[in-house]
Amino acid sequence: MDSRFRVATEQSAAAELEATLTETISLAREKTRRLAAWDEVGQQLNNPTFYTAWYANRAKNIEYDSTHMLDIAIYDLNGKVLAPVNTSSLPQKIDTGSDSDYIQVRDHEPLIVVVTVVKDPVSKKKLGYLATLYQLFPILKGLSHFNYIDNTSISINIADIDKTSNLSLLEHIDYRLTSDPYAEAIKPVIQESLLQLAGAALILTLLIFPLAAWLVNRPILQISQQIDQLQFSPRTAVNQQIVKPLFIKELDKIQTSLYAYHNKLNQANTNLDQKTQELDDLAQHDPLTGIMNRRAFDTYWREVSDVFKHSTNEISLLLFDINHFKALNDTYGHHTGDEVLIAIARTINSILPKREQLFRLSGDEFATILIGATPRKAMQVAKQCHLAITNYPFDTLGINEPVRISIGVADTTIERSDNLNALHWQADIAIHFAKRPGYSSIVRFKPELAETTQGLFSNRTHSAVYDAITRGTGLIMHYQPIVNLQDGRPQYYEALVRIAHEGQLIMPSHIFPLVEARSLDQELDHHVIQKIITDLQEGVIPAGTGVSINISAPSIIDNELIKRLAGFKPYMDDYKLLIEVTETALITQLQTARINLETLREMGFSIALDDFGSGYSSLRYLGAMPVDVVKFDITLTRLVDNKENNPILSYLAKMITESGHLLVAEGIETPQIAEQLSKLGFRYGQGYHFGRPMRLTDKPSSDADSLNYSA
């Protein structure tokens, strides 16, 4: 009996190992396909000039999951690597054709080599090939909770193999079998069942058949009920005491059912843990520096605020800002700028107390929260960070001038209250002065500093704006008409954000500085979208017209944008819906922006290019991006008063109109300007002459008429 159980276990173990190995290779293929879709891979194939630098600095520091990946290489259509790299473990030339994979063994370590085709995301044209090299055993052991194999005993019994298949590799894998608790439990059950069967036969000879039948069927019925309970109640614990059945057939059913349930549950838990970890890493970490991002900071800040209400611990907020970072970026290039950000993040992180974390709030701004640190200790940490950055050898990055940072410090000893949000504007004031001439590069907030900022950092305004952006509190939408210049009728309305707070109206001039400083563009866009959808539901916007929604640059390239705007679908038939973007929104990640805009077009949105003429590349975007409406910036509109400039405006209007775009002129304040622009070919107009921004349920008035301006 023992030998039969062992043979069955060995067969199950071999099948389990083969299935897990196949799944491991499939996972490596999927990871490689994801890497092949990375836009930087396509960029290298289109322009391989800097491939060696890209390989050394970017290939291993990628946004995607690179766990257990040892190497990566890009090949042209002929299968030749773009540039030889001495440290690469992958071949210089590969076989071309379709996707492929094989196994290598080096020094008793099995490796997976995966080759996949790289295609242009739009035209689907083949650009070249991408190859990756993965460790096999760490992925294989992490995929499955083996039932028949001791996970720690898996090894390879051959030193080197140049190229082999996964099935051939199975012949060279050694492992130990695990003890089978089910089999050990079943052995005495079978023995006892045989004895019971013999006893039942004897009893049957004595004509006690009903009692024998009851003794046989009762335990089998109990086992069947337990299996049904496990199937319909997956969280029910497995009963370790095995019911004593009488027939081997039923025992086989028990073992098979329990193993199937056990495997499915383990696999589901493994997949759930992996997906949860991947999503958490993507949502909470900055892909460039590896530190926590803005979203993680907001989550942590809420947790600290809740604890602070019931604690007497002192809390300090430190803001770090890189001086003249934009100039440095423009002078030395984005790659060097990225290296500076990484170096500064690592340097500051190395000085912070172990329990504290560094967050990247925006492009060149970082923050940390010190809990339980006295103001003196907080200033000491700030000075250590400043000194470390000052002494960092940035010249090794090719930078000739010194790189400096400014630090603003705010702590709860200045103004003790239950609302920690005051630390935000206090730290903003401190860093504002730290960047000014005549002040130290490290400034701790004092009340007298706030008195000299002339209301720029109003505590009340800052808190109200922050709450509105992050929670939607007090956020309201005003609408300004865009009219037909021929008859003056509104065609649609532009949605403009305002914040109502304590009987006053906070205007964009006080809203967007905080949005930009704290990189809260996507949070604000989310609440604006929800407010506009609510206004459509309540009939605030007249049917038969439409609404134009301004979308920020970070949202335009966000993968979640399409889902956020899906709420407008029920209103597509009754309203004209436009998405307004500025040139700034199109400057970075053009490819992603174009894909998102084309998807929105397919959904039924029109795309408007706002502030045309305010930048340097407006005409470029008209040709490269899916744009339906062009809104002339107010600086161009005002040129209509100058007759010498009229031919330029007329030419631009004619060129853009003939290319199939609708023209809208912004900033029209008099009927004379409206008439002149109409003659020049403009179809629509917007400005105070036609109406100021207002709630459409209000009487016609300016923003200031309905609520007071916030100073």
Short mmCIF file of all heavy atoms in Angstrom, two decimals, residues 66-107:
data_model
loop_
_atom_site.label_atom_id
_atom_site.label_comp_id
_atom_site.label_asym_id
_atom_site.label_seq_id
_atom_site.Cartn_x
_atom_site.Cartn_y
_atom_site.Cartn_z
N SER A 66 10.18 44.75 -12.65
CA SER A 66 11.42 44.14 -13.14
C SER A 66 11.99 43.15 -12.13
O SER A 66 13.17 42.86 -12.14
CB SER A 66 12.45 45.23 -13.44
OG SER A 66 12.71 45.98 -12.27
N THR A 67 11.12 42.65 -11.23
CA THR A 67 11.58 41.70 -10.22
C THR A 67 12.17 40.46 -10.88
O THR A 67 11.56 39.89 -11.77
CB THR A 67 10.42 41.31 -9.30
OG1 THR A 67 9.81 42.50 -8.81
CG2 THR A 67 10.90 40.46 -8.15
N HIS A 68 13.35 40.06 -10.42
CA HIS A 68 14.05 38.87 -10.91
C HIS A 68 14.52 39.00 -12.37
O HIS A 68 14.88 38.00 -12.97
CB HIS A 68 13.18 37.62 -10.75
CG HIS A 68 12.62 37.44 -9.37
ND1 HIS A 68 13.40 37.44 -8.24
CD2 HIS A 68 11.33 37.29 -8.94
CE1 HIS A 68 12.63 37.27 -7.17
NE2 HIS A 68 11.38 37.20 -7.56
N MET A 69 14.48 40.18 -12.94
CA MET A 69 15.01 40.37 -14.30
C MET A 69 16.49 40.73 -14.19
O MET A 69 16.85 41.70 -13.52
CB MET A 69 14.24 41.48 -15.01
CG MET A 69 14.65 41.62 -16.49
SD MET A 69 13.77 42.94 -17.35
CE MET A 69 14.62 44.36 -16.67
N LEU A 70 17.34 39.97 -14.87
CA LEU A 70 18.79 40.19 -14.81
C LEU A 70 19.30 41.08 -15.92
O LEU A 70 20.27 41.80 -15.74
CB LEU A 70 19.51 38.84 -14.87
CG LEU A 70 19.20 37.84 -13.74
CD1 LEU A 70 19.96 36.55 -13.95
CD2 LEU A 70 19.56 38.45 -12.39
N ASP A 71 18.67 41.05 -17.09
CA ASP A 71 19.20 41.81 -18.21
C ASP A 71 18.09 42.09 -19.22
O ASP A 71 17.03 41.43 -19.21
CB ASP A 71 20.35 41.03 -18.89
CG ASP A 71 21.31 41.97 -19.60
OD1 ASP A 71 21.05 43.19 -19.61
OD2 ASP A 71 22.30 41.50 -20.16
N ILE A 72 18.36 43.07 -20.08
CA ILE A 72 17.42 43.47 -21.13
C ILE A 72 18.24 43.97 -22.31
O ILE A 72 19.31 44.56 -22.14
CB ILE A 72 16.46 44.57 -20.60
CG1 ILE A 72 15.43 44.94 -21.68
CG2 ILE A 72 17.20 45.78 -20.13
CD1 ILE A 72 14.36 45.88 -21.17
N ALA A 73 17.78 43.71 -23.53
CA ALA A 73 18.49 44.16 -24.73
C ALA A 73 17.48 44.42 -25.84
O ALA A 73 16.43 43.78 -25.90
CB ALA A 73 19.52 43.13 -25.17
N ILE A 74 17.81 45.38 -26.71
CA ILE A 74 16.95 45.74 -27.84
C ILE A 74 17.69 45.44 -29.13
O ILE A 74 18.88 45.76 -29.27
CB ILE A 74 16.55 47.23 -27.78
CG1 ILE A 74 15.88 47.55 -26.42
CG2 ILE A 74 15.60 47.58 -28.91
CD1 ILE A 74 15.54 49.01 -26.24
N TYR A 75 16.97 44.84 -30.10
CA TYR A 75 17.57 44.43 -31.37
C TYR A 75 16.79 45.05 -32.52
O TYR A 75 15.58 45.28 -32.44
CB TYR A 75 17.54 42.90 -31.49
CG TYR A 75 18.25 42.18 -30.39
CD1 TYR A 75 17.61 41.94 -29.18
CD2 TYR A 75 19.55 41.73 -30.52
CE1 TYR A 75 18.25 41.27 -28.14
CE2 TYR A 75 20.20 41.06 -29.50
CZ TYR A 75 19.54 40.83 -28.31
OH TYR A 75 20.17 40.18 -27.30
N ASP A 76 17.53 45.30 -33.64
CA ASP A 76 16.87 45.85 -34.81
C ASP A 76 16.15 44.74 -35.58
O ASP A 76 16.10 43.58 -35.15
CB ASP A 76 17.88 46.59 -35.69
CG ASP A 76 19.02 45.69 -36.17
OD1 ASP A 76 18.83 44.44 -36.19
OD2 ASP A 76 20.09 46.20 -36.51
N LEU A 77 15.58 45.09 -36.74
CA LEU A 77 14.79 44.12 -37.50
C LEU A 77 15.64 42.96 -38.00
O LEU A 77 15.09 41.89 -38.33
CB LEU A 77 14.11 44.83 -38.67
CG LEU A 77 12.99 45.80 -38.29
CD1 LEU A 77 12.51 46.59 -39.48
CD2 LEU A 77 11.82 45.03 -37.66
N ASN A 78 16.96 43.14 -38.07
CA ASN A 78 17.85 42.06 -38.52
C ASN A 78 18.31 41.18 -37.35
O ASN A 78 19.11 40.26 -37.54
CB ASN A 78 19.06 42.65 -39.23
CG ASN A 78 18.66 43.37 -40.50
OD1 ASN A 78 17.78 42.90 -41.23
ND2 ASN A 78 19.27 44.52 -40.76
N GLY A 79 17.83 41.48 -36.14
CA GLY A 79 18.20 40.69 -34.98
C GLY A 79 19.53 41.09 -34.37
O GLY A 79 20.06 40.36 -33.53
N LYS A 80 20.06 42.24 -34.72
CA LYS A 80 21.34 42.69 -34.20
C LYS A 80 21.11 43.68 -33.08
O LYS A 80 20.28 44.58 -33.20
CB LYS A 80 22.18 43.32 -35.31
CG LYS A 80 23.58 43.73 -34.88
CD LYS A 80 24.36 44.32 -36.05
CE LYS A 80 25.76 44.75 -35.61
NZ LYS A 80 26.53 45.35 -36.71
N VAL A 81 21.84 43.53 -31.96
CA VAL A 81 21.67 44.44 -30.84
C VAL A 81 22.00 45.87 -31.28
O VAL A 81 22.89 46.10 -32.12
CB VAL A 81 22.55 44.00 -29.65
CG1 VAL A 81 24.03 44.25 -29.94
CG2 VAL A 81 22.13 44.71 -28.38
N LEU A 82 21.26 46.87 -30.72
CA LEU A 82 21.43 48.25 -31.17
C LEU A 82 22.85 48.76 -30.94
O LEU A 82 23.35 49.57 -31.72
CB LEU A 82 20.43 49.16 -30.44
CG LEU A 82 18.94 48.87 -30.72
CD1 LEU A 82 18.07 49.93 -30.07
CD2 LEU A 82 18.67 48.84 -32.23
N ALA A 83 23.48 48.32 -29.85
CA ALA A 83 24.87 48.69 -29.59
C ALA A 83 25.45 47.67 -28.62
O ALA A 83 24.77 47.30 -27.65
CB ALA A 83 24.97 50.10 -29.01
N PRO A 84 26.65 47.19 -28.84
CA PRO A 84 27.22 46.19 -27.93
C PRO A 84 27.50 46.78 -26.55
O PRO A 84 27.98 47.90 -26.43
CB PRO A 84 28.53 45.78 -28.63
CG PRO A 84 28.85 46.93 -29.54
CD PRO A 84 27.56 47.53 -29.95
N VAL A 85 27.13 46.03 -25.51
CA VAL A 85 27.35 46.44 -24.13
C VAL A 85 28.15 45.33 -23.44
O VAL A 85 27.69 44.18 -23.42
CB VAL A 85 26.01 46.68 -23.40
CG1 VAL A 85 26.28 47.08 -21.95
CG2 VAL A 85 25.20 47.74 -24.12
N ASN A 86 29.31 45.68 -22.88
CA ASN A 86 30.20 44.66 -22.32
C ASN A 86 29.57 43.90 -21.17
O ASN A 86 29.85 42.73 -20.94
CB ASN A 86 31.51 45.31 -21.85
CG ASN A 86 32.31 45.86 -23.03
OD1 ASN A 86 32.18 45.37 -24.15
ND2 ASN A 86 33.12 46.88 -22.78
N THR A 87 28.72 44.60 -20.40
CA THR A 87 28.14 43.96 -19.21
C THR A 87 26.88 43.16 -19.51
O THR A 87 26.31 42.56 -18.60
CB THR A 87 27.80 45.05 -18.17
OG1 THR A 87 26.86 45.97 -18.76
CG2 THR A 87 29.04 45.78 -17.72
N SER A 88 26.45 43.13 -20.75
CA SER A 88 25.20 42.44 -21.08
C SER A 88 25.41 40.93 -21.10
O SER A 88 26.43 40.43 -21.58
CB SER A 88 24.67 42.91 -22.44
OG SER A 88 23.50 42.20 -22.79
N SER A 89 24.44 40.19 -20.59
CA SER A 89 24.49 38.73 -20.58
C SER A 89 23.72 38.13 -21.74
O SER A 89 23.67 36.91 -21.88
CB SER A 89 23.91 38.21 -19.26
OG SER A 89 24.62 38.71 -18.17
N LEU A 90 23.07 38.96 -22.55
CA LEU A 90 22.26 38.49 -23.67
C LEU A 90 23.11 38.47 -24.95
O LEU A 90 24.10 39.20 -25.06
CB LEU A 90 21.04 39.39 -23.85
CG LEU A 90 19.98 39.22 -22.75
CD1 LEU A 90 19.00 40.37 -22.76
CD2 LEU A 90 19.24 37.89 -22.91
N PRO A 91 22.72 37.65 -25.93
CA PRO A 91 23.53 37.54 -27.15
C PRO A 91 23.52 38.83 -27.97
O PRO A 91 22.60 39.65 -27.88
CB PRO A 91 22.84 36.39 -27.91
CG PRO A 91 21.44 36.37 -27.39
CD PRO A 91 21.54 36.75 -25.95
N GLN A 92 24.57 39.00 -28.79
CA GLN A 92 24.67 40.17 -29.65
C GLN A 92 23.72 40.08 -30.83
O GLN A 92 23.35 41.10 -31.41
CB GLN A 92 26.11 40.33 -30.16
CG GLN A 92 27.15 40.49 -29.07
CD GLN A 92 26.98 41.80 -28.33
OE1 GLN A 92 26.78 42.84 -28.94
NE2 GLN A 92 27.04 41.76 -27.01
N LYS A 93 23.31 38.86 -31.19
CA LYS A 93 22.41 38.67 -32.33
C LYS A 93 21.43 37.54 -32.01
O LYS A 93 21.77 36.58 -31.33
CB LYS A 93 23.22 38.34 -33.60
CG LYS A 93 22.39 38.31 -34.88
CD LYS A 93 23.27 38.33 -36.11
CE LYS A 93 22.52 38.33 -37.43
NZ LYS A 93 21.16 38.72 -37.44
N ILE A 94 20.19 37.72 -32.47
CA ILE A 94 19.14 36.73 -32.20
C ILE A 94 18.50 36.32 -33.51
O ILE A 94 18.62 36.99 -34.54
CB ILE A 94 18.07 37.30 -31.25
CG1 ILE A 94 17.44 38.54 -31.88
CG2 ILE A 94 18.63 37.60 -29.88
CD1 ILE A 94 16.23 39.05 -31.13
N ASP A 95 17.78 35.19 -33.47
CA ASP A 95 17.00 34.76 -34.63
C ASP A 95 15.75 35.62 -34.74
O ASP A 95 15.05 35.86 -33.75
CB ASP A 95 16.60 33.28 -34.49
CG ASP A 95 17.82 32.37 -34.50
OD1 ASP A 95 18.83 32.76 -35.11
OD2 ASP A 95 17.74 31.28 -33.89
N THR A 96 15.47 36.13 -35.94
CA THR A 96 14.30 36.98 -36.14
C THR A 96 13.10 36.13 -36.52
O THR A 96 13.22 34.96 -36.87
CB THR A 96 14.58 38.02 -37.23
OG1 THR A 96 14.90 37.33 -38.45
CG2 THR A 96 15.73 38.91 -36.83
N GLY A 97 11.98 36.75 -36.47
CA GLY A 97 10.74 36.04 -36.81
C GLY A 97 9.65 36.42 -35.83
O GLY A 97 9.25 37.58 -35.75
N SER A 98 9.21 35.45 -35.05
CA SER A 98 8.14 35.70 -34.09
C SER A 98 8.70 35.63 -32.67
O SER A 98 9.91 35.48 -32.47
CB SER A 98 7.02 34.68 -34.27
OG SER A 98 7.53 33.36 -34.11
N ASP A 99 7.81 35.73 -31.68
CA ASP A 99 8.20 35.62 -30.28
C ASP A 99 8.78 34.23 -30.00
O ASP A 99 8.33 33.23 -30.57
CB ASP A 99 7.01 35.87 -29.37
CG ASP A 99 6.49 37.29 -29.47
OD1 ASP A 99 7.12 38.10 -30.18
OD2 ASP A 99 5.48 37.58 -28.85
N SER A 100 9.76 34.17 -29.10
CA SER A 100 10.36 32.88 -28.76
C SER A 100 10.90 32.95 -27.34
O SER A 100 11.06 34.03 -26.77
CB SER A 100 11.50 32.54 -29.73
OG SER A 100 12.53 33.51 -29.65
N ASP A 101 11.18 31.77 -26.77
CA ASP A 101 11.78 31.71 -25.46
C ASP A 101 12.51 30.37 -25.32
O ASP A 101 12.18 29.40 -25.99
CB ASP A 101 10.74 31.86 -24.35
CG ASP A 101 9.61 30.86 -24.46
OD1 ASP A 101 9.81 29.68 -24.07
OD2 ASP A 101 8.55 31.24 -24.97
N TYR A 102 13.52 30.34 -24.45
CA TYR A 102 14.24 29.11 -24.15
C TYR A 102 14.91 29.22 -22.78
O TYR A 102 14.91 30.30 -22.17
CB TYR A 102 15.27 28.79 -25.24
CG TYR A 102 16.31 29.87 -25.45
CD1 TYR A 102 17.52 29.87 -24.77
CD2 TYR A 102 16.07 30.90 -26.38
CE1 TYR A 102 18.46 30.86 -24.98
CE2 TYR A 102 17.02 31.90 -26.59
CZ TYR A 102 18.20 31.87 -25.90
OH TYR A 102 19.13 32.84 -26.11
N ILE A 103 15.46 28.11 -22.32
CA ILE A 103 16.07 28.04 -21.00
C ILE A 103 17.58 27.92 -21.14
O ILE A 103 18.08 27.20 -22.01
CB ILE A 103 15.53 26.84 -20.20
CG1 ILE A 103 14.00 26.86 -20.16
CG2 ILE A 103 16.11 26.81 -18.79
CD1 ILE A 103 13.42 28.00 -19.39
N GLN A 104 18.33 28.65 -20.30
CA GLN A 104 19.77 28.51 -20.17
C GLN A 104 20.10 28.08 -18.74
O GLN A 104 19.34 28.37 -17.81
CB GLN A 104 20.49 29.83 -20.46
CG GLN A 104 20.52 30.25 -21.91
CD GLN A 104 21.36 31.51 -22.08
OE1 GLN A 104 21.65 32.21 -21.12
NE2 GLN A 104 21.74 31.78 -23.31
N VAL A 105 21.22 27.39 -18.56
CA VAL A 105 21.70 27.08 -17.22
C VAL A 105 23.14 27.57 -17.13
O VAL A 105 23.98 27.20 -17.95
CB VAL A 105 21.63 25.57 -16.91
CG1 VAL A 105 22.18 25.30 -15.50
CG2 VAL A 105 20.20 25.07 -17.02
N ARG A 106 23.40 28.43 -16.13
CA ARG A 106 24.75 28.95 -15.92
C ARG A 106 25.12 28.76 -14.46
O ARG A 106 24.44 29.29 -13.56
CB ARG A 106 24.81 30.44 -16.27
CG ARG A 106 24.45 30.76 -17.70
CD ARG A 106 24.47 32.26 -17.94
NE ARG A 106 24.01 32.62 -19.27
CZ ARG A 106 23.81 33.88 -19.67
NH1 ARG A 106 24.05 34.88 -18.83
NH2 ARG A 106 23.38 34.13 -20.89
N ASP A 107 26.17 28.03 -14.21
CA ASP A 107 26.63 27.77 -12.84
C ASP A 107 25.50 27.26 -11.97
O ASP A 107 25.22 27.78 -10.89
CB ASP A 107 27.23 29.04 -12.23
CG ASP A 107 28.47 29.48 -12.96
OD1 ASP A 107 29.22 28.60 -13.47
OD2 ASP A 107 28.70 30.69 -13.04
#
